[in-house]
Amino acid sequence: MSQAEPPAGRRQAEVVVYGATSGGVCAAVAAARRGLDTVLLEPGRHAGGMTSGGLGYTDIGDARVLGGMAAEFRRAVADAYGVAPGHYAGPEPHVAEEIFLSWLERAGVEVVYDAGLTGADTSEGRIVSVTTARGAYAAGAFVDASYEGDLMAAAGVSHRVGREDRTLHGETFAGRREVVPGMHNFPPWISPFRADGTLLPQVADGPMAEVGAGDGGVMSYGYRVCMSTAPDRIPFERRPGYDEEHWELGRRLFRHWREQGVEVRAGRLVGLEPNLPNGKADGNSLGPFSLSVLDRSAWAYPDAGPEERERIRLHHLRHAQDLLYFLSHDPEVPAHVRAELGRWGLPADEFADTGHLPHQLYVREARRMLGEKHLTEHDLVQGRRQEDVVAMGSYHIDIREVQRTWRRVYEHPDPVPMVVTEGYLSVGVAPYQIPYGAIVPRREECVNLLVPVCVSASHVAFSSVRMEVQYQMLGHAAGLAAAAAASTGKPVQDVDVAALQDELRAAGQVLSL
C-alpha cells in the first residue's frame, strides 16, 4: 500500500508514539529495537507516566502473567537496588524514570518533550502526520499511548467515556452502583449542608442516576504523593490560597468518628506504609476522605481542551497539597494523626522541578476505544479464550469511587439529608487474555494506529486492564505491531498476529497459563 507523502517541513519517521507513559516508552523502545526510526512525543517533560509519577506501588495481581517488557522493567528495578525481583513494592519515582530514559537512549528513540498534540492530518483512514506544539511528525504507523486517547480522538476513532448502562453489555457491575457501607464510603448521618442551607464544598450536587444506569462518570482522579521521613524532607505547609471553609466536610467526618468512638490511623487515611526503597511511602487514596477528588470535576477531563484540563489538574494538585496540610495541622484532626503526619513530608530528591509533588495527575480512566474487539466484564469473569492474545491481565476489577454527593434518607418524621460516596467496587478475577483486537481501531476508521492504553474495553473491564504493568506489556505488543505495519505498509488490522505472538513469546511475554 502506498503511503501519502508528508508536506515539507515535517519530520519523517517510521513509527511515531504519542505519550511517554510507561506503555508509550515500551512501544517506542520495542519499535526502535526492531531497527525502525522511532519518535516518542510527550506533552509533558517527563517519561514514565504514573510509573515515574507517584504510583510507586506496583499493582501486579498474579505475578505469573508478568512478562515481556514489564518483567524486564521489574528486573531492572531489582538490579538498580541490588535485590531480588519483587523485593520492593516498586521503585522510587526518579529510579523508574532513569530506567525508562536509559532504555530510550540505548534503543535510539528520539524523545520530544512539550509536544502536546494540536491536530492530526488524515487521509483515507490513515494518519499521515500529527501536529504538536513542537512541530509536525509523519510516519507509517502511530501509537497512541496517552492516558487521554488524544491522538485516537483526533484521528476520528470511535470511543466512549465513563460508565455505560448495565443493559449495554449485560454486565452485572456496570452503571451507577448501589450506595452501601464500606471502607471507602462516607459513614451515615453527616449533613451535606451549611447552617444557611447551602451545600458544603467537596460535595457534588444534583441527583444520582438510577442504579445500573450509565451516567458517563469516570473513576476519580488524584495525585499519588511520594512521602518520606528522611531528615531533609519538605514539610507539609499551608499553601497560599488555602481555604479553611473548604475543609469543613473533613472536620465533620472527624467529629463523627470521635462521637462514634472510631479511632482512625494516619496510615489508613493516606497510606503511610514505607513500601518503597529508602523508607519512602506511596500515598494512596484510602477511605472516604482522601487524595482522590470526588466532586465530579474529573468527569469533564477526558474531552476537555488544554485550558480546561489544566484547570482541573491544578484543582487536583491543590487538593493534594491542602489535604496533607489539613491532616497534619487542623485541630479537628485527632492529635495522634497530626503527630504521625508530622513525621512525614515530601522527599527532597523527588520531583524537584514540580515542587516535590508528582508531575503526573493520576488519570485512572479517560477515553476508551471502540476497536476491532471490545473487552467486557464477561471476558474477565469467564476467562474467555482469545485467539489473538498479546498479553494477560489478572488484577481484580478495581473501580475506584466515582462521586461524593448527597441524598435524602426517609426517616420519621422528616427525611434526613446525608453525604454519600458512590462507585467503589472490587471483584476478584482469574488471569485472563487480552486480545490484539482490543488495541486496534476498526478497519474503516484507521488502519495505521495502535492504542495500548485507552484500550477497547467497557468501563468495568477497563478497571482491571488499567494497571501500569498491563500498559507496559500492551505497549510492547503495540510497538512490535507498529514496526511490522510500518515495514510492510499493511494495515495494523492485517499484521500477522501469529508471528507477533511468536516474537512476544521469544521476548518473555506470557500469553497463557
Side-chain angles (χ1 to χ4, degrees):
M1 179 181 295
S2 63
Q3 299 185 22
E5 289 297 320
R10 296 187 180 185
R11 162 77 161 89
Q12 176 69 56
E14 292 177 288
V15 173
V16 166
V17 179
Y18 182 71
T21 60
S22 64
V25 170
C26 290
V29 170
R33 285 176 177 173
R34 283 279 305 270
L36 276 77
D37 178 17
T38 304
V39 176
L40 175 58
L41 304 172
E42 165 53 33
R45 298 180 179 180
H46 290 273
M50 282 304 300
T51 302
S52 65
L55 185 60
Y57 190 96
T58 305
D59 294 317
I60 291 177
D62 190 327
R64 293 178 300 165
V65 309
L66 203 66
M69 294 183 76
E72 184 181 347
F73 179 76
R74 194 178 192 221
R75 291 192 297 270
V77 170
D79 291 345
Y81 294 106
V83 297
H87 179 84
Y88 291 115
E92 296 164 277
H94 74 275
V95 171
E97 185 164 19
E98 287 168 1
I99 291 170
F100 285 137
L101 291 175
S102 70
W103 283 11
L104 291 163
E105 183 177 6
R106 289 200 301 270
V109 175
E110 179 184 341
V111 184
V112 184
Y113 296 105
D114 295 315
L117 188 73
T118 57
D121 180 16
T122 63
S123 176
E124 298 179 348
R126 178 179 288 273
I127 302 172
V128 178
S129 65
V130 296
T131 307
T132 75
R134 294 292 304 277
Y137 298 83
F142 292 80
V143 177
D144 184 352
S146 66
Y147 289 122
E148 295 83 3
D150 286 341
L151 176 53
M152 171 183 74
V157 172
S158 298
H159 56 271
R160 286 199 183 101
V161 173
R163 297 189 285 197
E164 309 97 331
D165 196 279
R166 285 184 189 174
T167 60
L168 181 64
H169 300 299
E171 294 174 307
T172 302
F173 304 117
R176 204 269 280 179
R177 302 298 306 157
E178 300 88 345
V179 175
V180 294
M183 184 184 82
H184 295 275
N185 291 351
F186 236 72
W189 314 117
I190 296 176
S191 173
F193 296 117
R194 302 181 180 93
D196 65 1
T198 58
L199 200 62
L200 287 174
Q202 304 201 48
V203 181
D205 199 6
M208 292 183 283
E210 293 297 318
V211 171
D215 59 5
V218 298
M219 287 180 274
S220 54
Y221 298 175
Y223 274 83
R224 292 287 289 258
V225 181
C226 187
M227 294 181 283
S228 172
T229 57
D232 63 348
R233 66 188 181 276
I234 313 298
F236 303 133
E237 296 179 341
R238 184 184 178 103
R239 177 183 63 84
Y242 178 87
D243 182 0
E244 292 282 356
E245 209 267 340
H246 187 74
W247 297 94
E248 176 56 28
L249 181 64
R251 297 187 188 98
R252 291 188 185 186
L253 175 61
F254 282 109
R255 285 196 291 267
H256 174 85
W257 276 336
R258 186 166 60 246
E259 291 163 1
Q260 297 295 315
V262 176
E263 288 198 22
V264 60
R265 294 187 300 109
R268 292 304 300 165
L269 294 169
V270 291
L272 293 177
E273 304 299 329
N275 49 26
L276 302 184
N278 297 314
K280 293 175 183 172
D282 170 3
N284 196 359
S285 299
L286 303 173
F289 200 73
S290 70
L291 288 163
S292 288
V293 178
L294 303 179
D295 59 8
R296 297 191 190 133
S297 55
W299 293 23
Y301 181 91
D303 285 322
E307 291 183 2
E308 176 68 2
R309 279 191 186 166
E310 179 62 7
R311 187 194 66 76
I312 295 169
R313 186 192 73 81
L314 289 174
H315 175 60
H316 285 71
L317 183 68
R318 289 162 183 160
H319 174 88
Q321 291 175 282
D322 293 354
L323 174 71
L324 294 171
Y325 177 80
F326 169 76
L327 292 177
S328 55
H329 290 84
D330 196 283
E332 288 286 1
V333 177
H336 68 274
V337 172
R338 283 180 276 141
E340 176 63 15
L341 263 294
R343 294 180 51 243
W344 293 81
L346 304 176
D349 60 344
E350 301 287 357
F351 310 120
D353 63 339
T354 51
H356 304 283
L357 286 160
H359 48 73
Q360 177 66 56
L361 173 64
Y362 192 5
V363 177
R364 287 189 170 97
E365 65 168 325
R367 300 181 178 102
R368 303 186 315 279
M369 181 171 66
L370 295 173
E372 288 278 287
K373 287 190 174 181
H374 197 66
L375 279 176
T376 69
E377 171 189 315
H378 309 297
D379 293 291
L380 276 59
V381 172
Q382 298 172 18
R384 290 176 175 172
R385 180 172 176 79
Q386 308 287 347
E387 294 297 330
D388 58 341
V389 54
V390 290
M392 293 191 71
S394 65
Y395 204 75
H396 50 270
I397 293 171
D398 184 37
I399 303 175
R400 297 308 300 256
E401 309 92 311
V402 174
Q403 60 184 326
R404 182 191 295 121
T405 184
W406 68 280
R407 69 177 185 181
R408 296 190 188 277
V409 177
Y410 292 93
E411 295 281 345
H412 178 79
D414 298 305
V416 179
M418 64 178 66
V419 178
V420 294
T421 310
E422 182 273 323
Y424 180 83
L425 175 74
S426 177
V427 179
V429 296
Y432 57 89
Q433 295 177 322
I434 305 173
Y436 179 67
I439 65 172
V440 175
R442 295 167 178 169
R443 183 184 296 269
E444 65 270 20
E445 293 186 340
C446 192
V447 297
N448 67 335
L449 175 68
L450 293 116
V451 184
V453 174
C454 294
V455 298
S456 181
S458 70
H459 167 82
V460 175
F462 187 82
S463 72
S464 169
V465 177
R466 67 184 179 87
M467 304 305 155
E468 292 287 298
V469 291
Q470 267 67 52
Y471 290 158
Q472 290 161 19
M473 292 187 288
L474 291 171
H476 184 180
L480 293 179
S487 299
T488 62
K490 289 182 177 179
V492 294
Q493 294 83 2
D494 293 336
V495 164
D496 185 338
V497 174
L500 175 62
Q501 291 171 330
D502 288 343
E503 193 169 2
L504 287 167
R505 286 192 193 94
Q509 192 89 305
V510 178
L511 303 184
S512 65
L513 292 179

